[in-house]
Amino acid sequence: MIIVKSPREIGLIREAARVVAVALEEIREYIVPGVSTQALNDKIDEIVRREGAFPGELGYYGYPASVCASVNECILHGIPSKKKILHDGDIITLDLVAKKDGYCGDAARTYCVGICGERQKRMIAIAEECFYNAMSLVKPGVRVGDISHAIEETAKKHGCSVPREYTGHGIGRDMHEDPSIPCYGKPGTGPELREGMTICVEPMILEGKPNVRVLGDGWTVLAKDGKLTSHYENTLVVTADGCEILSKL
Ligand code: MF3
Ligand code: CO
């Protein structure tokens, strides 16, 4: 069931999303060669709690950390670890949910570690371009399939692909609410957007083939072909004539 939010609820989601935005900006200076993904997790956890929020991913279906930290061919749900050390030229995605006063905000960014090559920078730019192309369509009356299609077409234009198994989503009291917002789709299909809906649009991009595999830990999702991946996500509110990004400073 799709829930349209009241102005009061949108205010609370806005605040949770602001905490995510603050954390994803403040963490930038810590993303350097030699740091472990555990250290980034701990810093993010500290920032989120300092802002009066709680890391919403911690304990979610048993997820064991405060943020998802996914490096290079890892597209989703990388579990932070002391043993996972970042190297010059890696790319890392941090995907974070903050929960505050009962409401969630959710965003993801892919960052360069040290000095990245053109191949890495291109992947980061494509995920962002997919997001903005999709976002530019968001307004009341637009269908989810329109948004999904824009993501898929932008990825394809660059010779990239999108996963079938993981999607964007509505957000509110729960981090994942209806509707689900795939990264591929047919224009004119799916639920219609309405003013007051809060949604997460999150292009996940594969440099190569769309196939993924999940590691034995039950979480870590990798590109099967071992090529690069990237991800860009924001929490949006649908307004009378468009939308507003809530998870960006
Ligand atoms: N933050 C992710 C999303 O964008 C969900 C992570 S689920 C977790 O939807 F369990 F790994 F935390
Ligand atoms: Co999300």
Side-chain angles (χ1 to χ4, degrees), residues 85-230:
I85 305 293
L86 298 183
H87 300 291
D88 199 37
D90 282 343
I91 52 176
I92 178 174
T93 298
L94 297 176
D95 184 351
L96 175 68
V97 174
K99 198 160 194 177
K100 187 168 176 179
D101 298 325
Y103 285 84
C104 299
D106 182 5
R109 303 281 181 265
T110 303
Y111 308 82
C112 279
V113 181
I115 298 167
C116 277
E118 287 308 314
R119 189 181 155 206
Q120 286 74 13
K121 287 185 197 161
R122 187 183 87 104
M123 288 303 294
I124 294 173
I126 293 169
E128 226 177 290
E129 185 186 338
C130 287
F131 171 83
Y132 282 102
N133 284 349
M135 189 197 102
S136 70
L137 302 177
V138 174
K139 64 177 182 188
V142 160
R143 311 274 291 262
V144 166
D146 299 325
I147 303 173
S148 300
H149 181 74
I151 296 174
E152 185 183 18
E153 285 307 301
T154 307
K156 271 195 195 161
K157 181 182 87 182
H158 293 289
C160 291
S161 61
V162 294
R164 314 296 283 189
E165 298 87 345
Y166 303 94
T167 69
H169 48 90
I171 187 164
R173 281 194 172 277
D174 292 317
M175 77 164 88
H176 293 150
E177 296 184 353
D178 288 338
S180 102
I181 304 178
C183 294
Y184 63 93
K186 258 180 109 170
T189 66
E192 218 177 78
L193 299 182
R194 288 173 57 195
E195 183 178 356
M197 280 173 58
T198 44
I199 56 172
C200 291
V201 174
E202 50 180 312
M204 293 159 259
I205 309 300
L206 296 123
E207 184 182 27
K209 299 229 160 62
N211 312 53
V212 298
R213 66 189 176 98
V214 182
L215 287 188
D217 61 20
W219 286 105
T220 314
V221 186
L222 303 174
K224 239 184 193 164
D225 61 12
K227 294 194 174 176
L228 293 177
T229 67
S230 61

